[in-house]
Amino acid sequence: MQQVSQRTTAEPESVPAPGAEPDGAQYRPGRTITDWKPEDEAFWLTRGRKVAARNLWISVPALLLGFVVWQVWSVTVVNLQAVGFPFSASQLFWLTAVPGLTGGTLRIVYTFVMPLVGGRRWTALSTVVLVVPLAWLGFAVQDTSTPYWVMLLIAALCGMGGANFASSMVNIGFFYPKRLKGNALGINGGLGNLGVSVVQLVAPLVVTAGVLLAPAGGPQAKKAGGQVWLQNGALLWIPLLLVMAGLAWFLMNDLKASAAPFRKQRVVFKRSNTWLMTWLYVGTFGSFIGFAAALPLLIKTTFTPLNPAYSATTYAWLGPLCGALTRWGGGWLADRIGGAKVTLISFAGMAASIVAVIAFLPSGGAGGNFWGFLIAFLCAFSFSGLGNGSTFQQIPVIFRNRALRAASGKGEAAQAAALRQAEMESGAVTGFSSAIAAYGFFFIPAMFANFSVTSALWSFVAFYGTCLVVCWLRYARRGAPDPS
């Protein structure tokens, strides 16, 4: 009788109320999750890990395509004059730089809007909207009478692709426990960053033939002879964007736990760690994206006149590839030995690499050493990627530790509330720092355009020195205020 009584009283707990969803339904693809506890080991192993992985592996290719759109102008401008567009070198520079300005600015917006809309909805929306500038670009490059202001507007809209990084990293950060955030964000950011290499490698190839057939439009004649299909470099990505937007909508999840109005998020601007970590991330990601935009021009203007075999389109994509791959390694390593240590290694390595770049430049009538220059730059990219991963691992650790210290001795409820606040703040700082660092896309090429190459490079070395000091004093040394 006692056993029957136990079954009778336990049974109602396993039967859902009339009209309610069965247990676990909220974790299915396309649903909004209201109960998310990644720091609970049992929850993580039984349910959280699988859901987080599904959202991560849809986020990665969507983000990669965002970087493709952001960088598509870096390879489009190369052929505009050749097919008859009457744009000056200065105008071409602005077409390359404008996506960096709009991308960085929109990252600030995307950082604070995504938690309000939801990761699933925002990923789908921010991916599908990129079809607009690509389609417009595909038609605009087929008509050499297209006004320059129209081209500038298209370039500005392409900046939306770069803005996706902020919302994507904030969203994925909410899914993972503290001990795995560095690895997860390294995978998302690193493989997403591969979009820079992908577009710089693929676009120059597909514009050389009518691979998209008649519906995409005919070829453009080059003034020096030959034909190109410039529209292919833009239109090729549209079907992929549509597919990824659909996958995001139907297979990702919105996290109710990540929702926060701007009035709660803006508290991060009062935190000194917000500004210090932004400074460090400017040094890592700002260098990565700025060097990616500038390296093709550096090769073309510095070494190609000496030897036409040193083609920018042949070698420039290797740098972003190295930086994208080491970003994952930086996050993984930071989870194991501490983010601050990896960040110190990153800045020391970047400084040494740029000194080596300077040593291999043509100087005093000597032709320099192209292969030494290229290898040194690849090292700089690799160390920047390492720091990209480690700095984003540091941010949640710093804010979590601060919150726990503030709530110490105040009870479990206070600690739980502090952790929720820390999660929200670290997400906001992740997005904000990525927004400011994105301006490196504009400022690093501008430095090369307005100063000598050597002077610009030495200024970067000096900046990395300040980053080393900040990281050591605040985060890495024994007894540091915020060890991470």
Side-chain angles (χ1 to χ4, degrees):
M1 289 296 293
Q2 185 177 5
Q3 291 178 344
V4 172
S5 174
Q6 288 174 341
R7 287 196 299 269
T8 302
T9 56
E11 190 172 313
E13 297 179 2
S14 61
V15 177
E21 290 186 326
D23 181 46
Q26 64 174 311
Y27 303 104
R28 295 173 184 170
R31 304 297 183 93
T32 297
I33 298 175
T34 59
D35 183 24
W36 188 252
K37 300 172 291 186
E39 300 296 343
D40 183 326
E41 187 68 14
F43 171 85
W44 178 251
L45 293 176
T46 57
R47 178 162 285 152
R49 179 171 55 183
K50 184 181 295 185
V51 174
R54 170 163 43 79
N55 281 268
L56 171 63
W57 291 112
I58 296 171
S59 175
V60 165
L63 181 56
L64 184 149
L65 290 173
F67 271 90
V68 164
V69 176
W70 198 25
Q71 285 278 351
V72 71
W73 276 97
S74 69
V75 291
T76 299
V77 297
V78 174
N79 287 304
L80 290 182
Q81 290 180 330
V83 299
F85 281 91
F87 302 149
S88 67
S90 176
Q91 287 176 315
L92 294 179
F93 165 75
W94 278 105
L95 288 175
T96 304
V98 162
L101 293 176
T102 55
T105 303
L106 287 173
R107 280 188 179 192
I108 299 173
V109 178
Y110 280 33
T111 295
F112 298 104
V113 170
M114 188 285 298
L116 299 175
V117 176
R120 175 183 69 90
R121 293 180 177 90
W122 189 255
T123 302
L125 175 62
S126 62
T127 300
V128 76
V129 75
L130 297 178
V131 170
V132 174
L134 284 188
W136 197 358
L137 175 60
F139 287 105
V141 295
Q142 297 182 61
D143 182 3
T144 56
S145 66
T146 301
Y148 182 67
W149 70 266
V150 171
M151 291 297 210
L152 277 177
L153 180 56
I154 298 171
L157 292 176
C158 286
M160 293 188 296
N164 284 2
F165 179 83
S167 54
S168 178
M169 296 295 278
V170 172
N171 180 50
I172 292 303
F174 283 123
F175 278 95
Y176 281 83
K178 177 180 71 70
R179 71 182 189 282
L180 299 177
K181 282 186 189 293
N183 187 53
L185 293 176
I187 291 172
N188 191 54
L191 298 184
N193 289 168
L194 278 176
V196 180
S197 287
V198 168
V199 72
Q200 290 185 348
L201 175 63
V202 174
L205 298 177
V206 298
V207 301
T208 61
V211 294
L212 300 185
L213 306 179
Q220 299 86 50
K222 299 177 70 173
K223 291 187 293 185
Q227 295 178 324
V228 288
W229 287 257
L230 293 185
Q231 67 271 24
N232 291 356
L235 300 180
L236 173 70
W237 314 102
I238 290 178
L240 299 176
L241 286 168
L242 294 174
V243 169
M244 287 314 306
L247 291 176
W249 182 263
F250 291 108
L251 297 181
M252 292 184 74
N253 297 97
D254 292 315
L255 283 183
K256 191 71 173 178
S258 69
F262 176 71
R263 60 181 174 81
K264 289 187 176 181
Q265 299 180 69
R266 67 187 180 189
V267 68
V268 299
F269 297 117
K270 300 179 181 179
R271 313 294 194 206
S272 61
N273 282 308
T274 299
W275 303 103
L276 293 175
M277 289 307 302
T278 296
W279 185 265
L280 298 183
Y281 195 62
V282 165
T284 57
F285 182 80
S287 296
F288 167 82
I289 200 64
F291 289 155
L295 185 57
L297 183 61
L298 282 178
I299 294 174
K300 182 178 180 180
T301 58
T302 307
F303 286 99
T304 302
L306 301 174
N307 186 341
Y310 300 142
S311 168
T313 57
T314 302
Y315 301 107
W317 63 275
L318 291 170
L321 174 67
C322 292
L325 294 179
T326 56
R327 178 169 193 142
W328 170 79
W332 177 85
L333 190 61
D335 283 337
R336 283 152 180 77
I337 69 172
K341 293 179 182 177
V342 180
T343 302
L344 283 176
I345 294 171
S346 167
F347 284 117
M350 289 170 66
S353 298
I354 295 303
V355 170
V357 168
I358 295 170
F360 291 121
L361 286 172
S363 177
N369 185 321
F370 173 76
W371 297 111
F373 164 90
L374 181 63
I375 292 171
F377 239 123
L378 296 184
C379 290
F381 272 104
S382 298
F383 282 114
S384 74
L386 201 69
N388 287 338
S390 64
T391 48
F392 266 20
Q393 188 269 356
Q394 284 182 260
I395 291 171
V397 171
I398 291 166
F399 280 83
R400 178 184 173 85
N401 290 344
R402 279 263 171 180
L404 288 176
R405 288 200 298 269
S408 178
K410 297 181 180 179
E412 292 184 5
Q415 287 192 344
L419 289 177
R420 287 194 298 270
Q421 179 71 14
E423 194 76 9
M424 181 272 293
E425 290 188 21
S426 63
V429 174
T430 295
F432 176 74
S433 62
S434 77
I436 303 303
Y439 289 120
F441 190 139
F442 170 77
F443 284 109
I444 286 182
M447 289 286 290
F448 288 123
N450 292 283
F451 300 96
S452 71
V453 173
T454 302
S455 297
L457 291 171
W458 276 119
S459 71
F460 302 149
V461 173
F463 177 71
Y464 300 149
T466 68
C467 293
L468 279 167
V469 171
V470 169
C471 186
W472 170 256
L473 292 178
R474 185 66 179 243
Y475 305 114
R477 65 183 174 88
R478 182 177 298 180
D482 291 291
S484 57

